[in-house]
């Protein structure tokens, strides 16, 4: 195990695109473990300050799975990571990922990422670590980390549903204005596509397609990573049985173990706001086939 590469399936895309649900379902597959937004949480003091619980319901520093791993990351790395892993840093990270000599400012963070993933793999015996950090800049850091075999699942969702979700209060998560959400939707999706240059495999998945045939898409994603997908007895139609998972960050749905229903919600804005969202996002909506004229 010490010399073997660690396989990481990184879920990229904008927030509120169904990534938490997808990660939880993938984490139920034999040989897969879902760690939530570990690549972001461990190296972002701002995210840690929000004190969101682990998926087991305990505070992270009291969770038997995470407490030692989080404490093993020096506080200065969390401070430095918050500055290094920003969307505006994406071009420099992309350039760094093409070099054989990694810049010194990244080395300690990369060693900590690699060490954390390796410890998880050793403790659990998993074949694949599912990380739903979403931020494409974090994914580039993972691609630079020694001993990591990176696969990317890029999840997109209709921007109307994404805006509607972020502008409504959900548990411990803050709300955000539509303009900010649209900027996130644009930047995260455009830059996530660049990850195909750095990943062993890359798959683009529309959340709306996933909810129609969840079993089919879960199998396809698993096949990208491990070749032959493990069985999915936990899923019957659009109903899944999900166990408690040690998930960092993510939305409050991660706390709901048991039977969950896979659906889209379809909470779209109407009138003027709907027209404005279309105006501001139509190039990517066309690319991802959310506009009638873009469908074949």
């Amino acid at each position: 195990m010490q010399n073997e590469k660690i396989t990481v399936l990184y879920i990229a895309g904008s927030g509120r695109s169904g990534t938490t649900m997808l990660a939880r379902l993938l984490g139920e597959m034999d040989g897969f473990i879902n760690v939530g937004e570990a690549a972001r949480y461990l190296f972002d003091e701002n995210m840690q300050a929000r004190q969101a619980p682990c998926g087991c319901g305990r505070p992270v520093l009291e969770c038997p799975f995470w407490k030692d791993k989080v404490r093993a990351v020096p506080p200065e790395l969390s401070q430095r990571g918050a500055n290094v892993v920003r969307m505006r840093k994406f071009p420099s990270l992309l350039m760094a990922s093409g070099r054989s000599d990694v810049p010194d400012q990244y080395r300690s963070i990369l060693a900590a990422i690699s060490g954390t993933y390796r410890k998880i793999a050793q403790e659990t015996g998993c074949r694949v670590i599912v990380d739903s950090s979403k931020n494409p800049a974090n994914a580039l850091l993972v691609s630079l980390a020694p001993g990591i075999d990176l696969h990317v699942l890029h999840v997109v969702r209709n921007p109307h549903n994404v805006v509607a979700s972020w502008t409504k209060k959900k548990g411990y998560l803050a709300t955000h204005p539509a303009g900010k959400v649209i900027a996130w939707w644009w930047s995260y999706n455009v830059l996530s596509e660049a990850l195909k240059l750095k990943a062993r495999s890359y798959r683009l998945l529309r959340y709306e397609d996933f909810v129609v045939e969840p079993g089919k898409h879960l199998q396809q994603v698993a096949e990208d990573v491990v070749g032959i997908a493990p069985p999915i007895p936990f899923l019957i139609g659009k109903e899944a049985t999900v166990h408690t998972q040690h998930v960092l960050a993510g939305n409050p749905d991660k706390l709901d173990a048991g039977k969950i229903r896979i659906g889209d919600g379809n909470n779209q804005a109407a009138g003027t706001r709907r027209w404005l969202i279309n105006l501001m996002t139509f190039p990517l909506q066309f690319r991802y086939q959310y506009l009638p004229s873009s469908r074949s």
Side-chain angles (χ1 to χ4, degrees), residues 43 45-46 78-86 88-89:
F43 307 98
E45 61 178 353
N46 298 320
S78 297
Q79 297 166 0
R80 192 185 313 164
N83 294 321
V84 167
V85 188
R86 295 179 181 273
R88 65 173 179 267
K89 299 281 189 177

Side-chain angles (χ1 to χ4, degrees), residues 39 42-43 73-74 76-115 136-146 148 198:
L42 294 172
F43 307 98
V73 178
E76 61 269 20
L77 291 191
S78 297
Q79 297 166 0
R80 192 185 313 164
N83 294 321
V84 167
V85 188
R86 295 179 181 273
M87 297 304 286
R88 65 173 179 267
K89 299 281 189 177
F90 189 90
S92 61
L93 280 170
L94 188 62
M95 292 177 63
S97 65
R99 302 176 188 169
S100 57
D101 55 328
V102 176
D104 289 340
Q105 61 178 319
Y106 301 132
R107 288 186 185 277
S108 55
I109 295 176
L110 299 181
I113 290 174
S114 182
N138 283 94
L140 284 180
L141 275 180
V142 174
S143 75
L144 282 165
I148 301 298
K198 302 301 175 184

Side-chain angles (χ1 to χ4, degrees), residues 24 55 170 242-244 251-260:
R24 294 181 75 202
K170 187 170 187 177
V242 180
H243 297 87
T244 297
N251 72 54
D253 292 347
K254 68 181 183 179
L255 299 170
D256 300 330
K259 293 189 182 298
I260 60 173

Side-chain angles (χ1 to χ4, degrees), residues 45-201:
E45 61 178 353
N46 298 320
M47 181 174 280
Q48 293 175 15
R50 296 170 197 160
Q51 298 186 340
C54 173
C56 69
R58 299 181 181 90
V60 173
L61 291 179
E62 296 177 15
C63 168
F65 182 85
W66 282 113
K67 61 181 180 180
D68 292 336
K69 299 178 183 68
V70 173
R71 291 189 177 113
V73 178
E76 61 269 20
L77 291 191
S78 297
Q79 297 166 0
R80 192 185 313 164
N83 294 321
V84 167
V85 188
R86 295 179 181 273
M87 297 304 286
R88 65 173 179 267
K89 299 281 189 177
F90 189 90
S92 61
L93 280 170
L94 188 62
M95 292 177 63
S97 65
R99 302 176 188 169
S100 57
D101 55 328
V102 176
D104 289 340
Q105 61 178 319
Y106 301 132
R107 288 186 185 277
S108 55
I109 295 176
L110 299 181
I113 290 174
S114 182
T116 301
Y117 283 149
R118 189 165 296 280
K119 188 166 183 60
I120 291 169
Q122 290 172 341
E123 289 181 357
T124 65
C126 67
R127 296 174 64 192
V128 180
I129 296 173
V130 181
D131 190 309
S132 58
S133 290
K134 294 183 284 295
N135 189 326
N138 283 94
L140 284 180
L141 275 180
V142 174
S143 75
L144 282 165
I148 301 298
D149 194 10
L150 178 68
H151 298 256
V152 172
L153 172 61
H154 175 192
V155 183
V156 299
R157 190 183 186 191
N158 189 311
H160 294 280
N161 285 332
V162 174
V163 170
S165 182
W166 272 118
T167 52
K168 291 181 180 178
K169 183 65 177 173
K170 187 170 187 177
Y172 50 74
L173 296 178
T175 60
H176 294 282
K180 185 176 183 179
V181 175
I182 290 169
W184 284 343
W185 188 84
W186 256 101
S187 59
Y188 273 54
N189 284 314
V190 168
L191 297 181
S192 290
E193 291 202 36
L195 297 176
K196 67 182 70 173
L197 302 173
K198 302 301 175 184
R200 175 66 63 89
S201 72

Side-chain angles (χ1 to χ4, degrees), residues 21-29 210 218 234 240 242 260 262:
M21 176 181 286
L22 267 161
R24 294 181 75 202
L25 294 173
L26 287 163
E28 289 294 323
M29 301 183 86
F210 167 74
L218 284 175
F234 57 88
V242 180
I260 60 173
I262 299 170

